[in-house]
């Protein structure tokens, strides 16, 4: 059951922090989830402390953490500090769409629609310069920008047109984002209320598809130093990973086979030896057992550690090379 009281949210945050201590490789996402629960519990200073703790290290996504921290700070009276963080994020021009979108939504929540719109326009110019194969996070950013511009009564521009083309629901974005929709909710006309219910159901379906996806069917990717360390410690696993090159080839081939069989929502999880050994200890199993590997992959995916596959052809390849996916593993065989 999901927490629905401040005490339950606090308890869940404490559980996540204990889990983070047990699995240090997953510390960042677990701390972010714990901070979210503390915010819901009303302990905003506690959430800020967790964001600060993450930022004192070397987080994988510092801009996202700062955006969440700014949103939290503004909610409990630290507006000046939140604005300074937001200005810093905009100057840094991060490549993470989520950081931009959270920043803009923070400005919107405090009635600064013009600043929110300009923030999203900067992000669109940076992240959507090539409209093909846009990741979901960038599409979401364009949709949010469309909504805010609609509230400002601004005319459509090229980014709005792109958001319209990417939108797949039956009800168009202009209708979903019409400010007058709110007025109809106070109507006593059953026909108007039914029409609004239909619109809301369509919008809810879009968000449910985007935000409530099951965790992916994921396969393990061992970076080369981690694989070398794994095989040195547990040579029994050499049958699973004869060489690093074979590991990469098998990984891509497995994902393509799953895709051709119709398996949805595929992903790749990055494995590390310390995390794997901690997982094996939690399962009371020796790490040399090959049957433990798929269980480890599933557990990482369930903790939101998976990267969706396939990446866009122009995105960096999942293997960690400096080549694009299309020029690296994506160019081996058409998926």
């Amino acid at each position: 059951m999901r927490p629905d009281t401040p005490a339950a949210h606090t308890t869940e945050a404490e559980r996540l922090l204990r889990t983070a201590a047990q699995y240090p490789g997953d510390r960042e996402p677990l701390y972010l989830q714990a901070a979210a629960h503390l915010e819901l519990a009303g302990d905003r200073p506690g959430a800020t402390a967790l964001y600060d703790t993450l930022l004192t290290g070397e987080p994988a996504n510092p801009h996202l953490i700062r955006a969440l921290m700014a949103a939290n700070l503004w909610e409990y009276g630290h507006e000046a500090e939140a604005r300074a963080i937001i200005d810093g994020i905009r100057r840094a021009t991060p490549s993470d769409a989520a950081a931009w979108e959270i920043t803009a939504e923070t400005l919107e929540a405090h009635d600064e629609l013009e600043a929110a719109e300009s923030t999203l326009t900067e992000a669109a110019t940076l992240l959507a310069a090539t409209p093909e194969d846009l990741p979901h996070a960038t599409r979401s950013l364009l949709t949010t920008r469309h909504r805010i511009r609609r509230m400002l009564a601004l005319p459509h521009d090229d980014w709005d047109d792109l958001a319209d083309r990417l939108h797949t629901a039956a009800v168009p974005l202009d209708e979903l984002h019409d400010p007058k929709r709110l007025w109809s909710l106070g109507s006593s006309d059953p026909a108007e209320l039914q029409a609004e219910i239909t619109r809301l159901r369509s919008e809810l379906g879009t968000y449910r598809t985007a935000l409530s996806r099951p965790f992916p069917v994921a396969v393990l990717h061992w970076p080369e130093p981690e694989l070398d360390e794994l095989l040195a410690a547990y040579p029994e696993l050499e049958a699973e990973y004869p060489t690093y090159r074979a590991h990469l080839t098998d990984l891509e081939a497995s994902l393509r086979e799953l895709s051709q069989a119709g398996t949805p929502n595929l992903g790749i999880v990055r494995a590390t030896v310390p995390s794997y050994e901690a997982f094996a200890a939690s399962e009371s199993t020796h790490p040399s057992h090959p049957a433990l590997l798929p269980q480890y992959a599933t557990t990482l995916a369930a903790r939101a550690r998976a990267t969706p596959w396939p990446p866009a052809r122009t995105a960096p390849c999942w293997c960690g090379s400096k080549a694009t996916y299309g020029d690296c593993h994506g160019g081996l065989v058409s998926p």
Side-chain angles (χ1 to χ4, degrees), residues 100-102 104-105 108 116-117 120 137-151 160 163 173 177 207:
W100 285 101
E101 188 165 7
I102 291 169
E105 288 178 341
E108 179 194 3
E117 191 276 336
L120 292 170
T138 304
R139 295 181 179 219
S140 176
L141 183 148
L142 292 175
T143 300
T144 299
R145 181 180 180 276
H146 184 289
R147 175 175 56 76
I148 291 175
R149 287 175 60 83
R150 191 81 169 85
M151 294 172 67
D160 291 326
L173 283 182
H177 294 163
Y207 282 110

Side-chain angles (χ1 to χ4, degrees), residues 191-273:
E192 289 185 2
L193 290 172
Q194 185 58 51
E196 184 58 23
I197 289 171
T198 300
R199 295 187 189 101
L200 290 171
R201 282 177 174 167
S202 174
E203 187 172 11
L204 179 62
T206 300
Y207 282 110
R208 182 179 291 120
T209 299
L211 302 176
S212 299
R213 300 165 65 196
F215 64 78
V217 174
V219 296
L220 286 174
H221 170 217
W222 294 90
E224 189 167 12
E226 295 290 338
L227 185 62
D228 290 344
E229 182 180 346
L230 178 77
L231 297 180
Y234 310 107
E236 300 89 342
L237 295 177
E238 288 182 358
E240 302 292 323
Y241 307 113
T243 66
Y244 180 63
R245 183 181 294 274
H247 168 48
L248 299 184
T249 302
D250 290 347
L251 191 157
E252 179 75 19
S254 297
L255 287 166
R256 293 185 186 215
E257 289 176 7
L258 289 167
S259 177
Q260 290 168 2
T263 305
N265 203 14
L266 300 171
I268 297 173
V269 288
R270 182 180 179 276
T272 66
V273 173

Side-chain angles (χ1 to χ4, degrees), residues 1-255:
M1 181 179 295
R2 295 179 63 184
D4 57 2
T5 66
H9 282 295
T10 300
T11 299
E12 181 64 12
E14 292 170 350
R15 185 191 69 80
L16 289 165
L17 293 176
R18 289 195 300 271
T19 304
Q22 186 177 6
Y23 298 101
D26 298 328
R27 178 173 178 263
E28 185 171 327
L30 290 169
Y31 265 51
L32 290 179
Q33 291 179 49
H37 280 289
L38 290 179
E39 289 185 27
L40 291 169
D43 184 7
R44 292 190 175 276
T48 296
L50 289 184
Y51 295 135
D52 273 331
T53 298
L54 286 174
L55 290 171
T56 56
E58 296 182 357
N61 199 334
H63 299 300
L64 175 62
I65 297 169
R66 290 190 178 97
L68 292 167
M69 185 174 177
N72 179 55
L73 285 167
W74 204 329
E75 288 299 320
Y76 73 108
H78 296 270
E79 177 182 341
E81 187 175 354
R83 286 184 181 278
I85 293 172
I86 287 172
D87 290 343
I89 292 171
R90 295 178 69 174
R91 287 194 299 270
T93 61
S95 59
D96 176 27
W100 285 101
E101 188 165 7
I102 291 169
T103 297
E105 288 178 341
T106 300
L107 293 166
E108 179 194 3
H110 296 278
D111 298 322
E112 301 199 8
L113 295 181
E114 290 82 1
E117 191 276 336
S118 65
T119 298
L120 292 170
T121 299
E122 292 171 14
T125 303
L126 175 70
L127 303 178
T130 305
E132 295 78 16
D133 294 327
L134 289 180
H136 169 73
T138 304
R139 295 181 179 219
S140 176
L141 183 148
L142 292 175
T143 300
T144 299
R145 181 180 180 276
H146 184 289
R147 175 175 56 76
I148 291 175
R149 287 175 60 83
R150 191 81 169 85
M151 294 172 67
L152 290 168
L154 295 174
H156 269 212
D157 61 7
D158 291 343
W159 301 124
D160 291 326
D161 292 339
L162 177 58
D164 285 331
R165 292 197 302 273
L166 295 173
H167 182 65
T168 58
V171 180
L173 283 182
D174 275 341
E175 189 172 350
L176 288 174
H177 294 163
D178 184 357
K180 295 181 180 179
R181 290 174 57 207
L182 297 176
W183 302 349
S184 67
L185 292 175
S187 172
S188 59
D189 185 339
E192 289 185 2
L193 290 172
Q194 185 58 51
E196 184 58 23
I197 289 171
T198 300
R199 295 187 189 101
L200 290 171
R201 282 177 174 167
S202 174
E203 187 172 11
L204 179 62
T206 300
Y207 282 110
R208 182 179 291 120
T209 299
L211 302 176
S212 299
R213 300 165 65 196
F215 64 78
V217 174
V219 296
L220 286 174
H221 170 217
W222 294 90
E224 189 167 12
E226 295 290 338
L227 185 62
D228 290 344
E229 182 180 346
L230 178 77
L231 297 180
Y234 310 107
E236 300 89 342
L237 295 177
E238 288 182 358
E240 302 292 323
Y241 307 113
T243 66
Y244 180 63
R245 183 181 294 274
H247 168 48
L248 299 184
T249 302
D250 290 347
L251 191 157
E252 179 75 19
S254 297
L255 287 166

